[in-house]
Amino acid sequence: QVQLQQWGAGLLKPSETLSLACAVHGGSFSGHNWNWIRQSPGKGLDWIGEINHSGATNYNPSLTSRVTISVDTAKSQFSLKLSSVTAADTAVYFCARGNYFDSSGFYYPTMYYLDYWGQGTLVTVTS
Amino acid sequence: QSVLTQPPSASGAPGQRVSISCSGSSSNIGSNTVNWYQQLPGTAPKLLIYSNDQRPSGVPDRFSGSKSGTSASLAISGLHSEDEADYYCATWDDSLIAVVFGGGTKLTVL
């Protein structure tokens, strides 16, 4: 069974850097992409970005100047840093596994889904 | 403003069937498969449907998905009170090079 366990600081001041980490237990780490998603209070889901085991990243165009996602394959962990936070960055942050494979193990490049999620971390930005 | 468009709310009585729509464009739904997530209050989203119409192990067959062109739909038959949740559609967008979500639909079981 795959489990994602995330942690990080939950209270930040404006202009500080948000830092979260997510550890993957079970399953293949190198065979998947690893994502961060956030949800502002009372709002919908907002994709932040992803990384693969080689370190290749894709970021939400609206956040790309402030976001860094990194990976540590030796520890099966990946991390999120978001710089210069403001109150607008207050949200629950989730990590999630991205999958291109169907139930039979076949790879489809046009099929990408987030099948396992972390428990979420509330990050509040306030002065 | 979300890239994918969903109705903000939907409702139905226990036992009824409800459908939730998701509209996109050629660069997202038109080019890639659609996934649906269920989010119960205070919890992380859960994958409900992937690749347009595939159910992960453990998801009841009351839940079904479909896609046509640049739109997709989630149907829930035989509504249960525990189906009351927020539902999100999502897919990859080839132009944005990003995962995109719908704004979410709050399902109320009357």
PDB file of all heavy atoms in Angstrom, chain A residues 112-125:
ATOM      1  N   TYR A 112      -2.885  10.903 -17.218  1.00  0.00           N
ATOM      2  CA  TYR A 112      -2.104  11.294 -16.047  1.00  0.00           C
ATOM      3  C   TYR A 112      -3.072  11.584 -14.918  1.00  0.00           C
ATOM      4  O   TYR A 112      -3.953  12.442 -15.052  1.00  0.00           O
ATOM      5  CB  TYR A 112      -1.259  12.530 -16.352  1.00  0.00           C
ATOM      6  CG  TYR A 112      -0.288  12.897 -15.252  1.00  0.00           C
ATOM      7  CD1 TYR A 112       0.715  12.013 -14.873  1.00  0.00           C
ATOM      8  CD2 TYR A 112      -0.372  14.121 -14.592  1.00  0.00           C
ATOM      9  CE1 TYR A 112       1.613  12.344 -13.867  1.00  0.00           C
ATOM     10  CE2 TYR A 112       0.520  14.451 -13.597  1.00  0.00           C
ATOM     11  CZ  TYR A 112       1.521  13.566 -13.232  1.00  0.00           C
ATOM     12  OH  TYR A 112       2.414  13.889 -12.241  1.00  0.00           O
ATOM     13  N   TYR A 113      -2.913  10.871 -13.832  1.00  0.00           N
ATOM     14  CA  TYR A 113      -3.839  11.051 -12.720  1.00  0.00           C
ATOM     15  C   TYR A 113      -3.088  10.994 -11.394  1.00  0.00           C
ATOM     16  O   TYR A 113      -2.000  10.443 -11.317  1.00  0.00           O
ATOM     17  CB  TYR A 113      -4.954   9.999 -12.765  1.00  0.00           C
ATOM     18  CG  TYR A 113      -4.484   8.556 -12.783  1.00  0.00           C
ATOM     19  CD1 TYR A 113      -4.449   7.801 -11.616  1.00  0.00           C
ATOM     20  CD2 TYR A 113      -4.102   7.955 -13.975  1.00  0.00           C
ATOM     21  CE1 TYR A 113      -4.037   6.480 -11.637  1.00  0.00           C
ATOM     22  CE2 TYR A 113      -3.676   6.631 -13.996  1.00  0.00           C
ATOM     23  CZ  TYR A 113      -3.648   5.892 -12.831  1.00  0.00           C
ATOM     24  OH  TYR A 113      -3.229   4.586 -12.849  1.00  0.00           O
ATOM     25  N   LEU A 114      -3.691  11.574 -10.371  1.00  0.00           N
ATOM     26  CA  LEU A 114      -3.095  11.652  -9.040  1.00  0.00           C
ATOM     27  C   LEU A 114      -3.784  10.613  -8.170  1.00  0.00           C
ATOM     28  O   LEU A 114      -4.938  10.792  -7.767  1.00  0.00           O
ATOM     29  CB  LEU A 114      -3.268  13.060  -8.465  1.00  0.00           C
ATOM     30  CG  LEU A 114      -2.759  14.189  -9.369  1.00  0.00           C
ATOM     31  CD1 LEU A 114      -3.061  15.553  -8.754  1.00  0.00           C
ATOM     32  CD2 LEU A 114      -1.276  14.032  -9.638  1.00  0.00           C
ATOM     33  N   ASP A 115      -3.085   9.498  -7.930  1.00  0.00           N
ATOM     34  CA  ASP A 115      -3.783   8.377  -7.297  1.00  0.00           C
ATOM     35  C   ASP A 115      -3.572   8.243  -5.791  1.00  0.00           C
ATOM     36  O   ASP A 115      -4.388   7.610  -5.117  1.00  0.00           O
ATOM     37  CB  ASP A 115      -3.455   7.054  -8.018  1.00  0.00           C
ATOM     38  CG  ASP A 115      -1.967   6.757  -8.098  1.00  0.00           C
ATOM     39  OD1 ASP A 115      -1.144   7.604  -7.669  1.00  0.00           O
ATOM     40  OD2 ASP A 115      -1.625   5.669  -8.605  1.00  0.00           O
ATOM     41  N   TYR A 116      -2.517   8.784  -5.262  1.00  0.00           N
ATOM     42  CA  TYR A 116      -2.313   8.752  -3.807  1.00  0.00           C
ATOM     43  C   TYR A 116      -1.968  10.146  -3.331  1.00  0.00           C
ATOM     44  O   TYR A 116      -1.150  10.830  -3.946  1.00  0.00           O
ATOM     45  CB  TYR A 116      -1.212   7.758  -3.418  1.00  0.00           C
ATOM     46  CG  TYR A 116      -1.606   6.318  -3.649  1.00  0.00           C
ATOM     47  CD1 TYR A 116      -1.236   5.658  -4.812  1.00  0.00           C
ATOM     48  CD2 TYR A 116      -2.345   5.619  -2.694  1.00  0.00           C
ATOM     49  CE1 TYR A 116      -1.602   4.344  -5.038  1.00  0.00           C
ATOM     50  CE2 TYR A 116      -2.714   4.301  -2.909  1.00  0.00           C
ATOM     51  CZ  TYR A 116      -2.344   3.674  -4.082  1.00  0.00           C
ATOM     52  OH  TYR A 116      -2.708   2.367  -4.294  1.00  0.00           O
ATOM     53  N   TRP A 117      -2.582  10.538  -2.218  1.00  0.00           N
ATOM     54  CA  TRP A 117      -2.428  11.881  -1.681  1.00  0.00           C
ATOM     55  C   TRP A 117      -1.939  11.837  -0.236  1.00  0.00           C
ATOM     56  O   TRP A 117      -2.262  10.914   0.511  1.00  0.00           O
ATOM     57  CB  TRP A 117      -3.775  12.613  -1.712  1.00  0.00           C
ATOM     58  CG  TRP A 117      -4.320  12.877  -3.079  1.00  0.00           C
ATOM     59  CD1 TRP A 117      -4.710  11.954  -4.020  1.00  0.00           C
ATOM     60  CD2 TRP A 117      -4.567  14.156  -3.669  1.00  0.00           C
ATOM     61  NE1 TRP A 117      -5.174  12.579  -5.147  1.00  0.00           N
ATOM     62  CE2 TRP A 117      -5.093  13.936  -4.953  1.00  0.00           C
ATOM     63  CE3 TRP A 117      -4.394  15.475  -3.232  1.00  0.00           C
ATOM     64  CZ2 TRP A 117      -5.450  14.985  -5.815  1.00  0.00           C
ATOM     65  CZ3 TRP A 117      -4.752  16.517  -4.074  1.00  0.00           C
ATOM     66  CH2 TRP A 117      -5.274  16.261  -5.350  1.00  0.00           C
ATOM     67  N   GLY A 118      -1.184  12.862   0.127  1.00  0.00           N
ATOM     68  CA  GLY A 118      -0.833  13.041   1.519  1.00  0.00           C
ATOM     69  C   GLY A 118      -2.024  13.575   2.303  1.00  0.00           C
ATOM     70  O   GLY A 118      -3.069  13.898   1.727  1.00  0.00           O
ATOM     71  N   GLN A 119      -1.820  13.704   3.602  1.00  0.00           N
ATOM     72  CA  GLN A 119      -2.925  14.081   4.480  1.00  0.00           C
ATOM     73  C   GLN A 119      -3.234  15.571   4.448  1.00  0.00           C
ATOM     74  O   GLN A 119      -4.294  15.995   4.901  1.00  0.00           O
ATOM     75  CB  GLN A 119      -2.622  13.638   5.933  1.00  0.00           C
ATOM     76  CG  GLN A 119      -1.627  14.526   6.681  1.00  0.00           C
ATOM     77  CD  GLN A 119      -0.173  14.180   6.404  1.00  0.00           C
ATOM     78  OE1 GLN A 119       0.167  13.516   5.409  1.00  0.00           O
ATOM     79  NE2 GLN A 119       0.705  14.634   7.297  1.00  0.00           N
ATOM     80  N   GLY A 120      -2.319  16.350   3.919  1.00  0.00           N
ATOM     81  CA  GLY A 120      -2.514  17.796   3.844  1.00  0.00           C
ATOM     82  C   GLY A 120      -1.856  18.503   5.019  1.00  0.00           C
ATOM     83  O   GLY A 120      -1.822  17.979   6.141  1.00  0.00           O
ATOM     84  N   THR A 121      -1.327  19.689   4.757  1.00  0.00           N
ATOM     85  CA  THR A 121      -0.709  20.530   5.792  1.00  0.00           C
ATOM     86  C   THR A 121      -1.261  21.934   5.657  1.00  0.00           C
ATOM     87  O   THR A 121      -1.154  22.544   4.588  1.00  0.00           O
ATOM     88  CB  THR A 121       0.824  20.587   5.630  1.00  0.00           C
ATOM     89  OG1 THR A 121       1.369  19.264   5.727  1.00  0.00           O
ATOM     90  CG2 THR A 121       1.444  21.476   6.705  1.00  0.00           C
ATOM     91  N   LEU A 122      -1.857  22.442   6.717  1.00  0.00           N
ATOM     92  CA  LEU A 122      -2.353  23.814   6.702  1.00  0.00           C
ATOM     93  C   LEU A 122      -1.191  24.769   6.929  1.00  0.00           C
ATOM     94  O   LEU A 122      -0.492  24.665   7.940  1.00  0.00           O
ATOM     95  CB  LEU A 122      -3.421  24.013   7.769  1.00  0.00           C
ATOM     96  CG  LEU A 122      -3.920  25.457   7.950  1.00  0.00           C
ATOM     97  CD1 LEU A 122      -4.557  25.978   6.663  1.00  0.00           C
ATOM     98  CD2 LEU A 122      -4.881  25.556   9.131  1.00  0.00           C
ATOM     99  N   VAL A 123      -1.001  25.667   5.987  1.00  0.00           N
ATOM    100  CA  VAL A 123       0.013  26.704   6.115  1.00  0.00           C
ATOM    101  C   VAL A 123      -0.700  28.053   6.174  1.00  0.00           C
ATOM    102  O   VAL A 123      -1.458  28.393   5.265  1.00  0.00           O
ATOM    103  CB  VAL A 123       0.999  26.675   4.940  1.00  0.00           C
ATOM    104  CG1 VAL A 123       1.997  27.822   5.062  1.00  0.00           C
ATOM    105  CG2 VAL A 123       1.729  25.328   4.886  1.00  0.00           C
ATOM    106  N   THR A 124      -0.454  28.766   7.252  1.00  0.00           N
ATOM    107  CA  THR A 124      -1.071  30.075   7.456  1.00  0.00           C
ATOM    108  C   THR A 124       0.004  31.149   7.401  1.00  0.00           C
ATOM    109  O   THR A 124       1.037  31.029   8.069  1.00  0.00           O
ATOM    110  CB  THR A 124      -1.790  30.131   8.814  1.00  0.00           C
ATOM    111  OG1 THR A 124      -2.768  29.092   8.867  1.00  0.00           O
ATOM    112  CG2 THR A 124      -2.477  31.468   9.011  1.00  0.00           C
ATOM    113  N   VAL A 125      -0.237  32.164   6.587  1.00  0.00           N
ATOM    114  CA  VAL A 125       0.695  33.290   6.478  1.00  0.00           C
ATOM    115  C   VAL A 125       0.035  34.503   7.116  1.00  0.00           C
ATOM    116  O   VAL A 125      -1.009  34.971   6.665  1.00  0.00           O
ATOM    117  CB  VAL A 125       1.045  33.593   5.017  1.00  0.00           C
ATOM    118  CG1 VAL A 125       2.045  34.763   4.954  1.00  0.00           C
ATOM    119  CG2 VAL A 125       1.623  32.356   4.337  1.00  0.00           C
TER     120      VAL A 125
END
